[in-house]
PDB file of all heavy atoms in Angstrom:
ATOM      1  N   ALA G 145       1.570 -13.631 -13.692  1.00 80.00           N
ATOM      2  CA  ALA G 145       1.924 -12.788 -12.431  1.00 80.00           C
ATOM      3  C   ALA G 145       0.863 -11.739 -12.311  1.00 80.00           C
ATOM      4  O   ALA G 145       0.565 -10.970 -13.194  1.00 80.00           O
ATOM      5  CB  ALA G 145       3.264 -12.398 -12.596  1.00 80.00           C
ATOM      6  N   PRO G 146       0.339 -11.587 -11.090  1.00 84.00           N
ATOM      7  CA  PRO G 146      -0.669 -10.479 -10.730  1.00 84.00           C
ATOM      8  C   PRO G 146       0.065  -9.147 -11.026  1.00 84.00           C
ATOM      9  O   PRO G 146       1.180  -8.889 -10.546  1.00 84.00           O
ATOM     10  CB  PRO G 146      -1.177 -10.894  -9.436  1.00 84.00           C
ATOM     11  CG  PRO G 146      -0.596 -12.130  -8.975  1.00 84.00           C
ATOM     12  CD  PRO G 146       0.494 -12.429  -9.918  1.00 84.00           C
ATOM     13  N   SER G 147      -0.774  -8.287 -11.690  1.00 88.00           N
ATOM     14  CA  SER G 147      -0.361  -6.943 -12.018  1.00 88.00           C
ATOM     15  C   SER G 147      -1.539  -6.051 -12.086  1.00 88.00           C
ATOM     16  O   SER G 147      -2.435  -6.469 -12.901  1.00 88.00           O
ATOM     17  CB  SER G 147       0.669  -6.902 -13.129  1.00 88.00           C
ATOM     18  OG  SER G 147       0.506  -5.662 -13.709  1.00 88.00           O
ATOM     19  N   GLY G 148      -1.642  -4.900 -11.437  1.00 92.00           N
ATOM     20  CA  GLY G 148      -2.845  -4.106 -11.476  1.00 92.00           C
ATOM     21  C   GLY G 148      -2.838  -3.639 -12.943  1.00 92.00           C
ATOM     22  O   GLY G 148      -4.114  -3.570 -13.549  1.00 92.00           O
ATOM     23  N   THR G 149      -1.844  -3.286 -13.641  1.00 90.00           N
ATOM     24  CA  THR G 149      -1.818  -2.775 -14.919  1.00 90.00           C
ATOM     25  C   THR G 149      -2.346  -3.925 -15.840  1.00 90.00           C
ATOM     26  O   THR G 149      -3.313  -3.539 -16.715  1.00 90.00           O
ATOM     27  CB  THR G 149      -0.501  -2.368 -15.467  1.00 90.00           C
ATOM     28  OG1 THR G 149      -0.015  -1.386 -14.636  1.00 90.00           O
ATOM     29  CG2 THR G 149      -0.420  -1.907 -16.801  1.00 90.00           C
ATOM     30  N   ARG G 150      -1.881  -5.113 -15.685  1.00 92.00           N
ATOM     31  CA  ARG G 150      -2.317  -6.135 -16.562  1.00 92.00           C
ATOM     32  C   ARG G 150      -3.861  -6.446 -16.253  1.00 92.00           C
ATOM     33  O   ARG G 150      -4.632  -6.553 -17.358  1.00 92.00           O
ATOM     34  CB  ARG G 150      -1.596  -7.423 -16.326  1.00 92.00           C
ATOM     35  CG  ARG G 150      -1.973  -8.759 -17.009  1.00 92.00           C
ATOM     36  CD  ARG G 150      -1.148  -9.920 -16.707  1.00 92.00           C
ATOM     37  NE  ARG G 150       0.190  -9.564 -17.330  1.00 92.00           N
ATOM     38  CZ  ARG G 150       1.463  -9.796 -16.775  1.00 92.00           C
ATOM     39  NH1 ARG G 150       1.423 -10.283 -15.589  1.00 92.00           N
ATOM     40  NH2 ARG G 150       2.452  -9.518 -17.337  1.00 92.00           N
ATOM     41  N   ILE G 151      -4.353  -6.520 -15.087  1.00 93.00           N
ATOM     42  CA  ILE G 151      -5.740  -6.674 -14.783  1.00 93.00           C
ATOM     43  C   ILE G 151      -6.567  -5.645 -15.328  1.00 93.00           C
ATOM     44  O   ILE G 151      -7.632  -5.980 -15.956  1.00 93.00           O
ATOM     45  CB  ILE G 151      -5.916  -6.817 -13.227  1.00 93.00           C
ATOM     46  CG1 ILE G 151      -5.188  -8.072 -12.677  1.00 93.00           C
ATOM     47  CG2 ILE G 151      -7.393  -6.946 -12.903  1.00 93.00           C
ATOM     48  CD1 ILE G 151      -5.073  -8.139 -11.230  1.00 93.00           C
ATOM     49  N   ARG G 152      -6.118  -4.383 -15.238  1.00 93.00           N
ATOM     50  CA  ARG G 152      -6.941  -3.209 -15.719  1.00 93.00           C
ATOM     51  C   ARG G 152      -7.135  -3.312 -17.299  1.00 93.00           C
ATOM     52  O   ARG G 152      -8.080  -2.850 -17.782  1.00 93.00           O
ATOM     53  CB  ARG G 152      -6.444  -1.933 -15.277  1.00 93.00           C
ATOM     54  CG  ARG G 152      -6.529  -1.538 -13.824  1.00 93.00           C
ATOM     55  CD  ARG G 152      -6.273  -0.161 -13.525  1.00 93.00           C
ATOM     56  NE  ARG G 152      -4.903   0.176 -13.831  1.00 93.00           N
ATOM     57  CZ  ARG G 152      -3.737   0.035 -13.021  1.00 93.00           C
ATOM     58  NH1 ARG G 152      -3.917  -0.489 -11.754  1.00 93.00           N
ATOM     59  NH2 ARG G 152      -2.621   0.466 -13.406  1.00 93.00           N
ATOM     60  N   SER G 153      -6.128  -3.953 -17.903  1.00 93.00           N
ATOM     61  CA  SER G 153      -6.080  -3.950 -19.358  1.00 93.00           C
ATOM     62  C   SER G 153      -7.245  -4.969 -19.864  1.00 93.00           C
ATOM     63  O   SER G 153      -7.693  -4.732 -21.018  1.00 93.00           O
ATOM     64  CB  SER G 153      -4.822  -4.454 -19.943  1.00 93.00           C
ATOM     65  OG  SER G 153      -4.595  -5.740 -19.707  1.00 93.00           O
ATOM     66  N   ASP G 154      -7.568  -5.931 -19.054  1.00 93.00           N
ATOM     67  CA  ASP G 154      -8.762  -6.899 -19.449  1.00 93.00           C
ATOM     68  C   ASP G 154      -9.118  -7.665 -18.111  1.00 93.00           C
ATOM     69  O   ASP G 154      -8.645  -8.720 -17.915  1.00 93.00           O
ATOM     70  CB  ASP G 154      -8.264  -7.699 -20.436  1.00 93.00           C
ATOM     71  CG  ASP G 154      -9.407  -8.630 -21.004  1.00 93.00           C
ATOM     72  OD1 ASP G 154     -10.432  -8.710 -20.423  1.00 93.00           O
ATOM     73  OD2 ASP G 154      -9.233  -9.360 -22.096  1.00 93.00           O
ATOM     74  N   VAL G 155     -10.007  -7.030 -17.396  1.00 93.00           N
ATOM     75  CA  VAL G 155     -10.381  -7.510 -16.057  1.00 93.00           C
ATOM     76  C   VAL G 155     -11.054  -8.964 -16.151  1.00 93.00           C
ATOM     77  O   VAL G 155     -10.718  -9.838 -15.265  1.00 93.00           O
ATOM     78  CB  VAL G 155     -11.247  -6.620 -15.228  1.00 93.00           C
ATOM     79  CG1 VAL G 155     -12.651  -6.400 -15.799  1.00 93.00           C
ATOM     80  CG2 VAL G 155     -11.301  -7.023 -13.775  1.00 93.00           C
ATOM     81  N   HIS G 156     -11.735  -9.166 -17.253  1.00 92.00           N
ATOM     82  CA  HIS G 156     -12.300 -10.460 -17.386  1.00 92.00           C
ATOM     83  C   HIS G 156     -11.392 -11.610 -17.704  1.00 92.00           C
ATOM     84  O   HIS G 156     -11.397 -12.722 -17.167  1.00 92.00           O
ATOM     85  CB  HIS G 156     -13.359 -10.407 -18.495  1.00 92.00           C
ATOM     86  CG  HIS G 156     -14.604  -9.465 -18.068  1.00 92.00           C
ATOM     87  ND1 HIS G 156     -15.384  -9.732 -17.032  1.00 92.00           N
ATOM     88  CD2 HIS G 156     -14.914  -8.331 -18.540  1.00 92.00           C
ATOM     89  CE1 HIS G 156     -16.181  -8.772 -16.944  1.00 92.00           C
ATOM     90  NE2 HIS G 156     -15.838  -7.835 -17.804  1.00 92.00           N
ATOM     91  N   ARG G 157     -10.386 -11.205 -18.601  1.00 93.00           N
ATOM     92  CA  ARG G 157      -9.393 -12.188 -18.932  1.00 93.00           C
ATOM     93  C   ARG G 157      -8.444 -12.568 -17.706  1.00 93.00           C
ATOM     94  O   ARG G 157      -8.067 -13.670 -17.549  1.00 93.00           O
ATOM     95  CB  ARG G 157      -8.517 -11.594 -19.979  1.00 93.00           C
ATOM     96  CG  ARG G 157      -7.373 -12.513 -20.502  1.00 93.00           C
ATOM     97  CD  ARG G 157      -6.543 -11.996 -21.551  1.00 93.00           C
ATOM     98  NE  ARG G 157      -5.434 -12.825 -21.924  1.00 93.00           N
ATOM     99  CZ  ARG G 157      -4.417 -12.470 -22.691  1.00 93.00           C
ATOM    100  NH1 ARG G 157      -4.480 -11.276 -23.269  1.00 93.00           N
ATOM    101  NH2 ARG G 157      -3.509 -13.256 -22.921  1.00 93.00           N
ATOM    102  N   TYR G 158      -8.160 -11.584 -16.854  1.00 93.00           N
ATOM    103  CA  TYR G 158      -7.230 -11.807 -15.722  1.00 93.00           C
ATOM    104  C   TYR G 158      -8.060 -11.779 -14.436  1.00 93.00           C
ATOM    105  O   TYR G 158      -7.399 -11.766 -13.219  1.00 93.00           O
ATOM    106  CB  TYR G 158      -6.243 -10.704 -15.761  1.00 93.00           C
ATOM    107  CG  TYR G 158      -5.443 -10.726 -16.952  1.00 93.00           C
ATOM    108  CD1 TYR G 158      -5.445  -9.644 -17.890  1.00 93.00           C
ATOM    109  CD2 TYR G 158      -4.526 -11.724 -17.187  1.00 93.00           C
ATOM    110  CE1 TYR G 158      -4.628  -9.568 -18.977  1.00 93.00           C
ATOM    111  CE2 TYR G 158      -3.711 -11.744 -18.240  1.00 93.00           C
ATOM    112  CZ  TYR G 158      -3.769 -10.747 -19.198  1.00 93.00           C
ATOM    113  OH  TYR G 158      -2.986 -10.755 -20.254  1.00 93.00           O
ATOM    114  N   ARG G 159      -9.225 -12.202 -14.438  1.00 93.00           N
ATOM    115  CA  ARG G 159     -10.106 -12.378 -13.186  1.00 93.00           C
ATOM    116  C   ARG G 159      -9.518 -13.208 -12.146  1.00 93.00           C
ATOM    117  O   ARG G 159      -9.581 -13.015 -10.989  1.00 93.00           O
ATOM    118  CB  ARG G 159     -11.455 -12.907 -13.678  1.00 93.00           C
ATOM    119  CG  ARG G 159     -12.302 -13.480 -12.519  1.00 93.00           C
ATOM    120  CD  ARG G 159     -13.653 -13.714 -12.915  1.00 93.00           C
ATOM    121  NE  ARG G 159     -14.451 -12.378 -12.774  1.00 93.00           N
ATOM    122  CZ  ARG G 159     -15.137 -11.870 -13.600  1.00 93.00           C
ATOM    123  NH1 ARG G 159     -15.361 -12.240 -14.829  1.00 93.00           N
ATOM    124  NH2 ARG G 159     -15.777 -10.613 -13.292  1.00 93.00           N
ATOM    125  N   GLN G 160      -8.734 -14.307 -12.523  1.00 93.00           N
ATOM    126  CA  GLN G 160      -8.200 -15.326 -11.594  1.00 93.00           C
ATOM    127  C   GLN G 160      -7.059 -14.649 -10.719  1.00 93.00           C
ATOM    128  O   GLN G 160      -6.728 -15.172  -9.712  1.00 93.00           O
ATOM    129  CB  GLN G 160      -7.623 -16.539 -12.334  1.00 93.00           C
ATOM    130  CG  GLN G 160      -6.314 -16.373 -12.991  1.00 93.00           C
ATOM    131  CD  GLN G 160      -6.369 -15.687 -14.372  1.00 93.00           C
ATOM    132  OE1 GLN G 160      -7.358 -15.128 -14.829  1.00 93.00           O
ATOM    133  NE2 GLN G 160      -5.252 -15.408 -15.070  1.00 93.00           N
ATOM    134  N   MET G 161      -6.589 -13.484 -11.024  1.00 93.00           N
ATOM    135  CA  MET G 161      -5.741 -12.808 -10.318  1.00 93.00           C
ATOM    136  C   MET G 161      -6.243 -11.932  -9.132  1.00 93.00           C
ATOM    137  O   MET G 161      -5.364 -11.253  -8.403  1.00 93.00           O
ATOM    138  CB  MET G 161      -4.907 -11.829 -11.233  1.00 93.00           C
ATOM    139  CG  MET G 161      -3.938 -12.438 -12.276  1.00 93.00           C
ATOM    140  SD  MET G 161      -3.153 -11.469 -13.337  1.00 93.00           S
ATOM    141  CE  MET G 161      -2.430 -12.480 -14.472  1.00 93.00           C
ATOM    142  N   ILE G 162      -7.457 -11.913  -9.066  1.00 92.00           N
ATOM    143  CA  ILE G 162      -8.110 -11.150  -7.851  1.00 92.00           C
ATOM    144  C   ILE G 162      -9.040 -12.115  -7.180  1.00 92.00           C
ATOM    145  O   ILE G 162      -9.536 -13.141  -7.646  1.00 92.00           O
ATOM    146  CB  ILE G 162      -8.958  -9.819  -8.499  1.00 92.00           C
ATOM    147  CG1 ILE G 162      -9.952 -10.309  -9.489  1.00 92.00           C
ATOM    148  CG2 ILE G 162      -7.985  -8.848  -9.018  1.00 92.00           C
ATOM    149  CD1 ILE G 162     -10.806  -9.002 -10.055  1.00 92.00           C
TER     150      ILE G 162
END
Side-chain angles (χ1 to χ4, degrees):
S147 156
T149 302
R150 180 174 290 134
I151 295 166
R152 288 190 303 272
S153 74
D154 188 343
V155 70
H156 298 290
R157 178 177 177 191
Y158 298 110
R159 164 169 269 130
Q160 77 280 3
M161 294 180 183
I162 55 179

